[in-house]
Amino acid sequence: MSVLGSGEHTFSMMEPNQGSPPPTPRLAATLVLVRSSSAGAEVLITIRQKNLRFMPGAAVFPGGAVDRGDLDPRWEELCDMRATRAASLIGSDDKPRALGQFVAAIRETYEEVGLLLARGGRVDRATARDADAFLDACLRAQLHLEVERLTPAGRWVTPLGAPIRFDAQFFVAPVSTEVVVDPDPSEVAECRWLSPAAVLAGLAAGEYLMAPPTIEMLHRLDGHPTAEAVVDSVSGPEPRPADIISTRLSPNVHVVIAPNPGLMTGPGTNTYVVGSGPTCVIDPAVDDEAYLNTVRDAAGEIATIVVTHRHPDHIGGLRALKESSGATVRAWGSAAIDGVDVDPITDGESIEVPGARLSAVFAPGHASDHICLYAQGIASLFAGDNILGEGTAVIAPPDGNMRDYLRSLRRLLSLKIDRIYPGHFRALDGGHAVVERYLAHRADRERSILRALEGGSLSIDDLVTAVYVDTPAALHAVARFSVLAHLEMLNEDGRVSANGDFWSLADV
């Protein structure tokens, strides 16, 4: 798997606060259960309940956060592996943390699907919900966890910008065909034993939603004939470097994730290939040879390149892709992009490629030239940066405008949207519910700003501290832009006023 850190993002207006350390991701563990079958190796995929706050409805492997009880040194008495060996296997200097990730992977798997990799006594599955209770139960029952069955398979660190961040260690464990799984209905809607190819085919058919690390792992495990071959493929002191993630998300939508992870880009900018050929490419993000070759392989003959907006992380590969394909470039406005001529697109204009008809929706706010693309036939929206797969969009004046942004969101409610393909992070289902959450979030921020000003004049930095108490300090410099955008709109409405660097409620 990949280690994706905060990286170097390409939107220079939104540099993080260099005076604050980046927020620490929460330690986590994921367990890929694999078994042999007559058709080849199969993995256990779980479908998360749609009412969960994190990754609702997504297809994932069992796993979760490492809790304090998972780090208890007494686990060495109950594991067939010492903490020193655990640290060596995953390349960590923190021995309790390393063994704790092995323990958490087993505990979370027991909680979610009822499969406990252990020998000896028995413990109530309900104890697995609490790491301390699970440890106490295992000590009483003298149950020993079979952590040696887990082979480290790499690490994924959620990039800055996501509202929930994890530092997840992935493991692979072979199991027999006789094992029985029993999903916990509070978390897991269903679970399925499938070959990696079958899961990827389901993703390509639009049946599943997945995050990039799940997709990447499935590609790595695809094509192995047995569970043992899968384990062999991930064994070794260092995980293989990740290829650029490129996968089909529906019959006529393919995504290539650009290698530009960072604060404002998440795992990287999503470049979409739409249609069955000739195709439409949306947002060629970076001028990177391997990435652009991957886009070309996915796209085949390219008829049109569409830019949702001119922020650098969405146009960096435009010139090279235009030169190699000769495709027409469409965007809002006639200004050239990196020296490339643009055929201006108009609101409501359609771009047709085999398998898809995309209608331009002028949706300024995040950027003054922002468009979304609506595919009515598949009730899907290519949202650019107006909607993200995790977190919320930043509105940065002067080009960003909060009033325009809210109007754009409300306009999207007039469209029938089942699935949203955002510019960053994963695809989302439940289009109107997502848009309504965005509107509610912005309304909550506005109310918080007004409440904070009831105590007297405040600077923007003071307002960010008061309003963004749920946001890591490293992201406050980014939140500052959205606060300013709210203040500008409130000032236009006569509700607040500025006096130098300070803002206050307007006199009524």
Side-chain angles (χ1 to χ4, degrees):
M1 299 295 286
S2 300
V3 177
L4 296 184
S6 59
E8 188 71 30
H9 63 81
T10 56
F11 190 6
S12 59
M13 284 183 62
M14 297 189 178
E15 289 294 335
N17 186 346
Q18 299 300 318
S20 301
T24 302
R26 188 173 181 185
L27 204 62
T30 297
L31 182 54
V32 183
L33 297 169
V34 58
R35 70 181 188 183
S36 299
S37 77
S38 58
E42 295 179 329
V43 295
L44 184 70
I45 284 287
T46 68
I47 312 299
R48 289 174 61 79
Q49 292 286 8
K50 291 186 177 181
N51 62 346
L52 296 175
R53 176 170 173 256
F54 181 67
M55 296 286 288
V60 299
F61 302 113
V66 176
D67 288 336
R68 181 188 61 184
D70 298 319
L71 306 175
D72 194 298
R74 288 177 292 173
W75 275 116
E76 278 206 301
E77 305 171 26
L78 301 175
C79 293
D80 58 359
M81 177 187 295
R82 309 301 290 178
T84 300
R85 173 168 166 76
S88 175
L89 286 173
I90 66 173
S92 172
D93 294 328
D94 190 330
K95 297 175 185 178
R97 164 182 166 143
L99 185 59
Q101 286 185 291
F102 280 84
V103 170
I106 291 177
R107 178 182 57 79
E108 286 283 339
T109 298
Y110 186 35
E111 175 191 346
E112 292 179 13
V113 300
L115 178 60
L116 181 57
L117 301 182
R119 65 180 187 274
R122 300 180 63 181
V123 299
D124 188 335
R125 177 178 173 180
T127 64
R129 292 185 175 276
D130 180 274
D132 291 315
F134 184 61
L135 172 59
D136 289 342
C138 290
L139 285 167
R140 288 194 302 270
Q142 282 300 294
L143 183 143
H144 290 262
L145 303 189
E146 297 176 323
V147 296
E148 283 283 3
R149 293 176 62 177
L150 277 58
T151 298
R155 177 184 172 205
W156 184 282
V157 181
T158 310
L160 280 166
I164 302 175
R165 299 188 66 219
F166 292 104
D167 181 347
Q169 177 65 47
F170 279 68
F171 300 95
V172 171
V175 295
S176 74
T177 55
E178 285 75 33
V179 299
V180 176
V181 293
D182 177 24
D184 175 2
S186 68
E187 290 192 39
V188 181
E190 61 177 308
C191 54
R192 304 170 184 173
W193 287 103
L194 295 168
S195 69
V199 183
L200 291 169
L203 177 66
E207 297 173 6
Y208 303 130
L209 292 174
M210 290 183 197
T214 307
I215 295 171
E216 183 182 3
M217 178 59 82
L218 287 166
H219 279 293
R220 286 183 61 198
L221 303 185
D222 187 20
H224 296 291
T226 64
E228 291 70 24
V230 167
V231 173
D232 289 343
S233 75
V234 300
S235 297
E238 294 291 337
R240 298 180 318 193
D243 295 327
I244 291 168
I245 296 177
S246 172
T247 197
R248 188 162 293 281
L249 300 179
S250 77
N252 286 302
V253 179
H254 193 108
V255 67
V256 180
I257 301 178
N260 62 339
L263 177 66
M264 302 308 302
T265 56
T269 302
N270 293 333
T271 297
Y272 294 104
V273 176
V274 183
S276 57
T279 58
C280 172
V281 174
I282 301 172
D283 289 346
V286 296
D287 187 4
D288 175 270
E289 183 177 0
Y291 154 78
L292 288 172
N293 284 338
T294 304
V295 172
R296 294 183 188 105
D297 289 345
E301 182 183 353
I302 303 172
T304 309
I305 302 170
V306 181
V307 172
T308 61
H309 60 298
R310 287 172 168 80
H311 286 170
D313 58 317
H314 290 255
I315 62 171
L318 176 63
R319 176 195 285 272
L321 193 61
K322 162 69 175 177
E323 290 176 352
S324 65
S325 67
T328 301
V329 176
R330 310 299 308 275
W332 187 263
S334 59
I337 302 174
D338 193 20
V340 176
D341 290 337
V342 170
D343 180 6
I345 197 166
T346 58
D347 189 37
E349 182 179 350
S350 292
I351 297 171
E352 296 195 41
V353 291
R357 180 179 181 181
L358 303 172
S359 296
V361 180
F362 182 46
H366 175 73
S368 60
D369 65 341
H370 198 292
I371 62 169
C372 300
L373 295 166
Y374 176 58
Q376 182 174 359
I378 55 175
S380 296
L381 182 77
F382 296 88
D385 279 1
N386 272 12
I387 296 173
L388 305 179
E390 295 286 350
T392 55
V394 174
I395 312 303
D399 191 54
N401 181 281
M402 186 61 71
R403 192 183 308 279
D404 287 345
Y405 181 63
L406 297 178
R407 285 172 178 162
S408 293
L409 290 179
R410 293 188 188 102
R411 183 181 181 192
L412 297 180
L413 292 174
S414 67
L415 305 174
K416 182 184 185 301
I417 303 170
D418 291 334
R419 180 163 290 187
I420 296 173
Y421 294 106
H424 305 278
F425 298 100
R426 62 189 176 90
L428 301 169
D429 277 345
H432 280 192
V434 173
V435 177
E436 292 284 9
R437 285 198 299 271
Y438 263 60
L439 286 166
H441 174 76
R442 295 267 60 100
D444 285 343
R445 291 300 194 206
E446 179 179 294
R447 284 191 292 269
S448 296
I449 289 170
L450 292 171
R451 281 197 301 269
L453 291 176
E454 289 175 356
S457 298
L458 293 172
S459 69
I460 291 179
D461 289 335
D462 291 336
L463 282 168
V464 170
T465 300
V467 171
Y468 282 79
V469 293
D470 56 348
T471 302
L475 299 179
H476 281 189
V478 176
R480 193 178 193 278
F481 291 104
S482 290
V483 169
L484 175 59
H486 273 292
L487 289 169
E488 288 183 348
M489 183 176 69
L490 290 166
N491 179 254
E492 291 172 1
D493 293 340
R495 302 179 69 185
V496 303
S497 60
N499 182 11
D501 293 333
F502 287 82
W503 293 80
S504 59
L505 296 177
D507 295 331
V508 179

